[in-house]
Amino acid sequence: MRSALGVIRYTTLEAIRKGTLIAYFIIGTLIILVFLLGIRLSPEDGTSMEFFGNKVATREIMGLDLVNFWLLQLYGSASGAIMLFGLFGTAGMIPSFVEKGTAELFLSKPLSRASLFISRFTGAVGGISLNIVFFTIGMWLVFGIKLGVWNWGFLASAFFTSYIFACFFSVAVLSGIITQSTAVAIIMGFAFSLFSGILETRELVLYKAWDNAIFHRTLDVLYYITPQLDAMKNSAGTLIGTLEIPAARRLANIPESFTILPFVYSTLSATALYSLSIWYFKRKDY
Amino acid sequence: MTVVHTEQLSKTYRSGIVRRSEVNALRNVSLEVGSGEIFGLLGPNGAGKTTFVKILLNVSFPTLGSATILNEPLGSINIRKRSGYLPENHRYPNFLTGLETLMMFGRIHGLDPRTLKDKAVSLLQTVGLKDWAHHKIKKYSKGMLQRLGLAQALLNDPEILFLDEPTDGVDPVGRKEIRDLLRDLRNQGKTIFLNSHILSEVELISDRVAILNKGEVIKVGTVDSITRKEDEYEFHLADDVSSDVLSQIKQVYGQVEQDGKLLRVIAQSSEQMNKVIDFLRSKNILIQSIVHRKSTLEESFIELIKAEQA
Ligand SMILES: Nc1ncnc2c1ncn2[C@@H]1O[C@H](COP(=O)(O)OP(=O)(O)O)[C@@H](O)[C@H]1O
Ligand SMILES: [Mg+2]
């Protein structure tokens, strides 16, 4: 246990000293500060929202809470950016760990390869999660203090986004451990994020590209055996606010309310991908 | 007590999916290393020395064969708990200082953080890096990194120490210091397993050596037994021998060379060598010293490798 904690500690310190963790904290802090300084309730009517003096929205139009809608937008773009930044910040952690000259140092320590792998993974994802939690709590406080909107779904999104990242990361980890290349890990992770977005809306686009039952089922299988990033993201988003227009929801494949299913499928597929990585790692000569 | 025992250990590296290639890095290597000895594994580059040590420490896996280290079967976590390892061409994380590196790897070794600090500081002192404890290892020279690696390998007070080319990149003074340290450790009862291609060094400290070539052990024994030329003696005499005496010796003993006051005799046995002594004494020639001339390990090594290739 002490050894595993040591590896987590090592990984976290690596992320701090190499600058990624700090850089992300600074970016997060800057965005929080911009909102803290810029956002306020209009002193004129006390209900509309201002961003650096510009009226951006009234509080309620036709029963739609626009502040929550704003938070939903913020969540949508932030979680996209987090996947990318997270990928860049962590993709190298597996290949660099199994590099010649480094692998020997860790593999010859008294802990199993599985624990070594899991603690390295925990350190890498843990650093990104810390950033996510920090950013989310900061934004949540800004919206609460300045606008009086305490959106608990937004606060909870810190957990979901971290979880989605952990699932997303499985593809970069598997490619990284097999090819021992950071570049390949980043490319594969990036490709997967695009691919999973395309699969999410396969019924609207890909199905129509080729009207073939086998092709359609193949796409379905691919969708279910890989982590469903967008489905998880959209499901967690319903806790922040809902898109009231059914047609718009359908177009973006957003469910009406929170559903656990994409999390179940993604947990299974990410677990399978991580198990495959561990299986490979346990057998490999370094 | 046997500390390392391998039986027919073999390793074949397979690579390439389309064009398959195989390298037999180890072929049926059976070795025994006893407790408290300094054992040198010698061989040219690519002989399989690094592969052998990696297998013992769970970094690589054998294709065939078995081994026990400290009476634990290969792969056991207890082996790694009780050994120290200085890998070849190790790369310590350059974002840490020397002291941080030891603390970090000590923790990963599972050592108690409370006692670790003192241990780390004293080891840095032992390997001569005290003044560099708080410098980032980015700034360390190759020799300093090697010393740091040695300190790291000693953190857990290992019963056996595996050192892969420990003096690589270290200056002559540093090499001497490392040799002295290794002798100290041996005197404390630790077993030391040394990989090296620098024979003159291994010769100086090893109790026993094995010579590995293309994955095969071609010789095992004490340095003496490998290097001794059984039959060559140098007699250092007080005076030049007369050509008269020389020809008499030549008649009896065949191969004799003279070089001023030096007489080189190839004797068939030590009895014969003693007869030369008797003869010289009977002629009232004063013998100042007799040297049993050894070839260096390097010469024997090259001969052995050449013989293998022939
Ligand atoms: N990971 C590997 N994959 C393929 N071949 C390897 C690998 N590691 C070592 N070898 C080969 O195995 C042989 C022995 O290498 P090594 O154990 O490093 O020798 P030494 O330490 O004696 O120089 C060499 O021919 C080397 O090319
Ligand atoms: Mg080597």
Side-chain angles (χ1 to χ4, degrees), chain B residues 49-51 88 164-165 195:
Chain B
K49 306 178 295 290
T50 298
T51 303
E88 184 184 29
D164 201 346
E165 312 280 0
N195 271 1

Side-chain angles (χ1 to χ4, degrees), chain A residues 100 285-286, chain B residues 13 15 23 25 43-52 54 88 164-165 195 212:
Chain A
K100 227 180 175 47
D285 291 315
Y286 288 98
Chain B
Y13 285 111
S15 54
V23 180
N45 289 325
K49 306 178 295 290
T50 298
T51 303
F52 184 76
K54 279 184 179 177
E88 184 184 29
D164 201 346
E165 312 280 0
N195 271 1
L212 198 63

Side-chain angles (χ1 to χ4, degrees), chain B residues 280-298:
Chain B
L280 289 169
R281 292 302 299 138
S282 74
K283 299 282 172 201
N284 262 334
I285 295 167
L286 189 64
I287 301 170
Q288 287 182 322
S289 64
I290 302 171
V291 177
H292 186 171
R293 218 188 82 79
K294 295 174 188 173
S295 66
T296 61
L297 188 52
E298 189 146 344

Side-chain angles (χ1 to χ4, degrees), chain A residues 1-18 97 99-113 115-116 120 281-286, chain B residues 11-13 50 54 57-62 77-78 80-81 83 85 87-97 100 104-114 136 152 155:
Chain A
M1 196 60 210
R2 209 181 255 159
S3 300
L5 287 175
V7 175
I8 295 176
R9 195 189 175 93
Y10 168 82
T11 306
T12 314
L13 191 64
E14 179 181 354
I16 292 172
R17 291 276 169 89
K18 287 192 171 164
F97 200 55
E99 223 169 29
K100 227 180 175 47
T102 304
E104 291 93 323
L105 296 173
F106 290 96
L107 294 173
S108 61
K109 290 292 176 218
L111 72 167
S112 70
R113 289 200 180 187
S115 345
L116 200 56
R120 180 69 171 170
F281 184 53
K282 281 175 85 164
R283 271 155 193 77
K284 172 89 176 135
D285 291 315
Y286 288 98
Chain B
K11 175 71 187 178
T12 306
Y13 285 111
T50 298
K54 279 184 179 177
L57 290 162
N58 198 46
V59 178
S60 292
F61 303 101
I77 279 189
N78 285 330
R80 284 170 272 152
K81 237 181 218 147
S83 4
Y85 177 32
E88 184 184 29
N89 301 321
H90 50 72
R91 293 169 64 160
Y92 283 94
N94 59 15
F95 55 86
L96 296 176
T97 66
E100 282 171 343
M104 213 40 120
F105 283 90
R107 281 172 190 272
I108 295 172
H109 206 106
L111 304 176
D112 187 343
R114 281 166 300 187
K136 286 268 164 63
Q152 195 277 134
L155 276 171

Side-chain angles (χ1 to χ4, degrees), chain B residues 226-273:
Chain B
I226 288 181
T227 52
R228 181 171 297 153
K229 283 195 169 157
E230 292 296 342
D231 42 13
E232 195 173 322
Y233 298 91
E234 281 176 3
F235 289 79
H236 295 257
L237 309 174
D239 293 297
D240 289 2
V241 266
S242 63
S243 55
D244 184 37
V245 172
L246 190 66
S247 61
Q248 282 187 47
I249 305 176
K250 271 187 183 161
Q251 272 171 8
V252 189
Y253 302 106
Q255 279 188 280
V256 180
E257 274 174 45
Q258 189 206 13
D259 186 0
K261 293 174 187 170
L262 188 90
L263 210 58
R264 212 171 268 132
V265 178
I266 310 275
Q268 301 303 316
S269 62
S270 51
E271 280 87 51
Q272 210 176 24
M273 184 264 291

Side-chain angles (χ1 to χ4, degrees), chain A:
Chain A
M1 196 60 210
R2 209 181 255 159
S3 300
L5 287 175
V7 175
I8 295 176
R9 195 189 175 93
Y10 168 82
T11 306
T12 314
L13 191 64
E14 179 181 354
I16 292 172
R17 291 276 169 89
K18 287 192 171 164
T20 40
L21 214 52
I22 304 287
Y24 293 175
F25 266 115
I26 292 172
I27 295 172
T29 309
L30 287 177
I31 298 173
I32 291 168
L33 279 179
V34 166
F35 275 82
L36 181 66
L37 298 175
I39 209 168
R40 64 170 184 175
L41 280 180
S42 166
E44 291 163 23
D45 53 20
T47 52
S48 51
M49 191 166 98
E50 279 183 2
F51 195 60
F52 288 106
N54 303 311
K55 239 180 220 164
V56 288
T58 37
R59 191 67 189 270
E60 269 187 24
I61 300 171
M62 300 181 296
L64 190 67
D65 191 330
L66 279 174
V67 174
N68 287 338
F69 183 70
W70 249 62
L71 277 169
L72 189 60
Q73 292 298 316
L74 184 68
Y75 160 76
S77 29
S79 67
I82 286 164
M83 295 303 133
L84 281 187
F85 277 105
L87 178 66
F88 288 131
T90 51
M93 289 207 155
I94 295 294
S96 71
F97 200 55
V98 295
E99 223 169 29
K100 227 180 175 47
T102 304
E104 291 93 323
L105 296 173
F106 290 96
L107 294 173
S108 61
K109 290 292 176 218
L111 72 167
S112 70
R113 289 200 180 187
S115 345
L116 200 56
F117 177 93
I118 291 168
S119 23
R120 180 69 171 170
F121 159 82
T122 308
V125 172
I128 298 299
S129 300
L130 275 180
N131 268 297
I132 295 172
V133 167
F134 166 74
F135 179 74
T136 310
I137 291 181
M139 278 303 196
W140 181 73
L141 286 174
V142 167
F143 273 77
I145 292 165
K146 300 289 297 262
L147 300 179
V149 176
W150 300 96
N151 189 319
W152 296 95
F154 186 77
L155 189 63
S157 78
F159 166 76
F160 291 110
T161 306
S162 302
Y163 195 81
I164 295 168
F165 180 72
C167 293
F168 167 58
F169 194 40
S170 61
V171 172
V173 165
L174 182 61
S175 358
I177 205 150
I178 292 175
T179 65
Q180 301 190 17
S181 150
T182 303
V184 172
I186 290 179
I187 290 168
M188 291 300 287
F190 188 68
F192 171 61
S193 71
L194 293 179
F195 178 69
S196 105
I198 294 170
L199 278 183
E200 185 65 45
T201 54
R202 66 197 178 287
E203 278 134 338
L204 296 174
V205 187
L206 289 180
Y207 273 15
K208 287 175 185 140
W210 186 21
D211 195 13
N212 174 304
I214 296 172
F215 176 61
H216 294 179
R217 291 299 83 77
T218 309
L219 292 174
D220 291 345
V221 169
L222 280 175
Y223 177 69
Y224 285 105
I225 63 164
T226 53
Q228 305 171 1
L229 306 181
D230 282 357
M232 286 193 283
K233 178 178 152 186
N234 293 338
S235 173
T238 60
L239 298 175
I240 298 171
T242 39
L243 269 181
E244 297 290 331
I245 306 148
R249 264 210 313 268
R250 227 172 300 120
L251 198 66
N253 238 349
I254 292 173
E256 208 172 339
S257 60
F258 182 80
T259 151
I260 194 83
L261 228 53
F263 290 94
V264 174
Y265 288 134
S266 303
T267 303
L268 291 176
S269 50
T271 306
L273 287 173
Y274 282 124
S275 307
L276 200 58
S277 296
I278 294 177
W279 180 84
Y280 183 87
F281 184 53
K282 281 175 85 164
R283 271 155 193 77
K284 172 89 176 135
D285 291 315
Y286 288 98

